[in-house]
């Protein structure tokens, strides 16, 4: 059994556990295990057989037991049981009308109902009230849910997951990704696909990714994924494909300002007919006055300035990260492992950093002219000082400053602490300044305008962190920094070789903040990057 197959089974299991109402942490543990298996280079099946799979970080006894079953029998009994029990289609329908999984499955079985249309018919016939435990209140809720134009999720999908889902469906339907995903929004509530297939809706019905279709007419249909995310599918004939793509990409405000749109086969032709320059999807949140700027592109990026190795909580060695960065076409990469204050993961003190220097020197010798920078993600301590002694900070090529604890402190305390730490002469860049974790922690109270002032005074860059649950600075904050003239650094904060691929998320976030290549420090050569504070 290949790693990819194991990962897919674990993911499917996580999805069904989620539908069955299992706890958030359980579901996350399986999702993470799936990711881990996918990233592991050794054949995981062999590790399982050798009884060594728990050496992988994040694999506990429960997951190990299921891996043993999977490797031995090629299947997971519990997964099959859940599939029988959970009925993804009914659960998705429950999400649509605001009923929990168990309740919706019970109701569906009692009424013999499986689709939105059947449920609607049952409601119209007044049959809902016959069902056990459905009072007038719940009946009203279900009817209102069915009438609502579109199901709305409380919690959106992270952009990386949304992109993967949208890409899978687009492929199934021979279509193009549109909507929020094409605009690279940080959180996605709805997917949109424009399909050129004459049998688009037949394909949609057969899609393993979409579990229920909740609306349908001649030109469009709305399905729901196993996560409860609505998917709008537009079937467009070749002659007006471009027009459909502009409309489905949105945003609604942006498109409304362009209407009426001419019918045209490509987007370029639509814009040409309107007498307007083509507009990057990232800027289509609101009507655009005038010409769009030439935004920074992934191909402009010449190095990654924030990544981790197995010296702290990363999964790969210095050499593996460096080779992967070089293979992405970069000229440089900065190794920025944590410092001791971060506590929840191993951090490097001055001694460890100096030992790491030897390893970095050896890799540099091997990979020249590619350059591995000695860096750190240095914590700001509770008292506002930096978590490393000055002499070692002065030796380093690249110092990222990070606040990991105390994110909930008051505006005054936080802003004072961070801006004072920024005055340290070794600091080059402030990591994930607002400290948000999407869906889990709101942004901190840090006063960004004050941080921007100090960054300007000190010649420090601000990061757009590419971790899918951070994307911090976010779009509008990037724009504030760019307008003020503060350099942006697009980084991945990668903890694995695969994580280096998140540069596209960071760059897209910078693009949504109107950043051009000139605004992004790591589009430049190493001399300029290292010259940032040498005045
Ligand atoms: Zn960090
Ligand atoms: Zn980091």
């Amino acid at each position: 059994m290949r790693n990819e197959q194991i990962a897919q089974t674990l993911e499917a299991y996580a999805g069904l556990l989620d539908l069955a109402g299992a706890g958030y942490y359980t579901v996350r543990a399986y999702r993470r295990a799936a990711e881990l298996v996918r990233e592991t280079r050794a054949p995981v099946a062999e590790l399982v057989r050798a009884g060594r799979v728990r050496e992988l970080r994040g694999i506990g006894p429960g997951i190990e037991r299921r891996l043993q079953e999977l490797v031995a029998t090629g299947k997971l009994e519990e997964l099959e049981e859940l599939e029988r029990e959970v009925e993804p289609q009914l659960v998705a329908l429950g999400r649509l009308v605001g009923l929990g999984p168990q309740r919706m499955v019970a109701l569906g079985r009692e009424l013999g109902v499986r689709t939105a249309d059947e449920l609607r018919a049952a409601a119209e016939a007044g049959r809902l009230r016959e069902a056990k435990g459905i009072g007038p209140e719940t009946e009203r809720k279900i009817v209102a849910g069915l009438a609502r134009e579109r199901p709305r999720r409380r919690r959106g999908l992270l952009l990386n997951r949304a992109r993967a889902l949208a890409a899978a469906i687009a492929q199934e339907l021979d279509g193009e990704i549109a909507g929020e995903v094409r605009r690279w929004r940080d959180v996605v509530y709805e997917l949109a696909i424009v399909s050129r297939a004459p049998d688009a809706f037949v394909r949609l019905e057969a899609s393993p990714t979409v579990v229920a279709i909740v609306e349908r007419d001649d030109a469009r249909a709305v399905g729901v994924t196993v996560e409860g995310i609505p998917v709008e599918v537009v079937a467009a004939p070749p002659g007006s494909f471009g027009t459909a793509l502009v409309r489905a990409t949105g945003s609604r405000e942006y498109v409304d300002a362009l209407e009426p749109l001419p019918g045209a086969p490509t987007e370029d032709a639509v814009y040409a007919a309107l007498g307007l320059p083509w507009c990057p999807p990232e800027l289509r949140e609101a009507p655009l006055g005038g010409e769009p700027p030439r935004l920074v592109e992934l191909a402009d990026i010449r190095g990654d300035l924030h990544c981790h190795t197995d010296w702290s909580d990363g999964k790969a060695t210095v050499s593996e990260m460096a080779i992967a960065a070089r293979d992405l076409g970069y000229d440089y990469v900065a190794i920025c492992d944590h410092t001791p204050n971060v506590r929840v993961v191993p951090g490097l003190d001055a001694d460890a950093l100096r030992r790491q220097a030897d390893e970095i020197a050896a890799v540099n010798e091997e990979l020249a002219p590619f350059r591995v920078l000695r860096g750190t993600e240095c914590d700001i301590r509770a008292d506002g000082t930096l978590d490393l002694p000055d002499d070692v900070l002065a030796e380093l090529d690249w110092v990222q400053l990070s606040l990991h604890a105390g994110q909930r402190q008051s505006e005054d305390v936080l802003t004072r602490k961070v801006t004072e730490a920024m005055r340290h002469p070794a600091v080059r860049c402030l990591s994930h300044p607002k400290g948000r974790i999407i869906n889990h922690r709101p942004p901190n109270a840090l006063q960004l305008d004050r941080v921007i002032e100090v960054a300007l005074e000190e010649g420090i860059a601000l990061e757009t962190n590419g971790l899918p649950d951070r994307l911090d600075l976010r779009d509008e904050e990037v724009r504030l920094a760019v307008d003020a003239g503060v350099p942006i650094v697009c980084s991945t904060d990668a903890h694995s070789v695969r994580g280096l691929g998140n540069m596209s998320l960071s760059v897209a976030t910078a693009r949504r903040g109107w950043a051009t290549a000139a605004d992004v420090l790591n589009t430049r050569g190493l001399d300029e990057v290292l010259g940032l504070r040498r005045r």
Side-chain angles (χ1 to χ4, degrees), residues 70-90:
L70 189 56
V71 168
T73 68
K75 56 181 192 162
L76 267 188
E77 189 55 47
E78 278 160 299
L79 174 70
E80 293 178 2
E81 223 167 82
L82 268 176
E83 265 167 347
R84 285 191 293 272
E85 216 170 83
V86 165
E87 305 205 48
Q89 209 181 7
L90 280 176

Side-chain angles (χ1 to χ4, degrees), residues 174-352:
D174 185 17
E176 299 281 338
I177 297 173
E180 294 170 340
V181 171
R182 186 161 180 242
R183 302 202 308 276
W184 296 80
R185 285 195 67 114
D186 51 2
V187 186
V188 172
Y189 293 93
E190 186 173 322
L191 305 178
I193 307 289
V194 182
S195 169
R196 51 176 77 77
D199 59 344
F201 300 145
V202 179
R203 292 180 186 216
L204 182 64
E205 251 158 51
S207 160
T209 325
V210 173
V211 292
I213 293 175
V214 295
E215 273 176 62
R216 174 162 175 186
D217 61 32
D218 290 345
R220 63 185 270 293
V222 179
V224 189
T225 69
V226 84
E227 288 96 341
I229 288 278
V231 190
E232 174 175 48
V233 175
V234 178
S240 58
F241 189 85
T243 313
L245 189 57
V246 173
R247 286 210 179 99
T249 299
S251 68
R252 185 167 291 179
E253 296 73 31
Y254 172 83
V255 174
D256 281 352
L258 296 184
E259 293 280 6
L261 293 182
T266 65
E267 263 201 359
D268 283 344
V270 174
Y271 281 92
L274 290 169
L276 292 172
W278 180 81
C279 179
E282 292 94 331
L283 298 185
R284 300 188 197 173
E285 290 304 323
L288 202 72
E291 188 118 347
R294 260 200 70 137
L295 301 176
V296 60
E297 287 174 18
L298 187 57
D300 296 326
I301 299 294
R302 295 182 62 182
D304 198 329
L305 290 169
H306 182 173
C307 72
H308 296 263
T309 69
D310 57 3
W311 282 79
S312 64
D313 57 343
K315 289 177 191 130
T317 63
V318 170
S319 163
E320 287 166 339
M321 293 302 276
I323 289 170
R326 185 199 58 184
D327 291 349
L328 286 171
Y330 296 154
D331 301 330
Y332 49 89
V333 68
I335 303 299
C336 297
D337 281 313
H338 290 291
T339 57
N341 185 66
V342 58
R343 284 196 190 96
V344 285
V345 299
L348 278 64
D349 59 11
D351 266 7

Side-chain angles (χ1 to χ4, degrees), residues 89-90 92-99 104 107 111 113-128 138-152 212-216 222 224:
Q89 209 181 7
L90 280 176
L93 195 54
R95 288 210 161 133
L96 177 72
V97 299
L99 287 190
M104 185 64 226
L107 178 67
L111 296 178
V113 153
R114 303 200 50 87
T115 67
D117 281 342
E118 287 166 9
L119 186 62
R120 209 172 275 128
E124 276 161 17
R127 286 179 56 219
L128 288 186
T138 312
E139 183 187 14
R140 250 196 311 278
K141 189 162 114 180
I142 294 174
V143 172
L146 284 169
R148 211 177 306 132
E149 195 193 339
R150 212 60 64 73
R152 186 81 186 169
I213 293 175
V214 295
E215 273 176 62
R216 174 162 175 186
V222 179
V224 189

Side-chain angles (χ1 to χ4, degrees), residues 306 308 338 377 402-404 431-432 465 467 470 493 495:
H306 182 173
H308 296 263
H338 290 291
E377 177 171 13
S402 281
L403 188 72
H404 288 117
S431 319
H432 45 70
N465 187 294
L467 287 174
R470 285 198 184 268
D493 201 352
H495 286 67

